[in-house]
Amino acid sequence: GKVLIIGAGGVGMRGTQSAQNPDVFTDIMIASRTKSKCDAIVKAIGNPAIKTAQVDADNVDELVEFFNSFKPEIVINVALPYQDLTIMEACLKAG
């Protein structure tokens, strides 16, 4: 399935490394408000198949649009704690 990891800090790096099981996840994307941080994680891991994107985790409507375009089966939230509710609300709205 498709996995979306939101957050490009140290936990985002570990989460992305852990998600590299092709028997479980066929498509991996890491997103953050700073795309260059996502790109740096992909470069450090050495897996160019991992997609990266910029998204504002404080903006529910932007998140919903993003979820609807990528269509993840699971969202792993490793963003800042104050963004938990906006990400959860966007997940619920996107289904």
Side-chain angles (χ1 to χ4, degrees), residues 11 13-14 20 57 60 80 82:
V11 179
M13 166 82 87
R14 299 299 171 250
Q20 293 187 92
V60 173
L80 296 171
Y82 65 83

Side-chain angles (χ1 to χ4, degrees), residues 26-41:
T26 58
D27 217 354
I28 302 169
M29 179 170 304
I30 182 167
S32 176
R33 71 176 166 244
T34 309
K35 187 177 180 298
S36 61
K37 288 183 179 182
C38 300
D39 295 336
I41 288 173

Side-chain angles (χ1 to χ4, degrees), residues 31-90:
S32 176
R33 71 176 166 244
T34 309
K35 187 177 180 298
S36 61
K37 288 183 179 182
C38 300
D39 295 336
I41 288 173
V42 170
K43 184 177 180 180
I45 291 173
N47 183 348
I50 298 171
K51 297 173 180 70
T52 63
Q54 187 279 328
V55 70
D56 181 356
D58 293 321
N59 185 320
V60 173
D61 292 333
E62 184 178 329
L63 284 166
V64 170
E65 184 178 325
F66 183 66
F67 293 167
N68 287 334
S69 69
F70 183 62
K71 300 192 184 316
E73 293 178 52
I74 185 170
V75 175
I76 299 174
N77 173 11
V78 291
L80 296 171
Y82 65 83
Q83 295 168 319
D84 290 351
L85 294 178
T86 55
I87 293 170
M88 180 58 69
E89 182 178 347

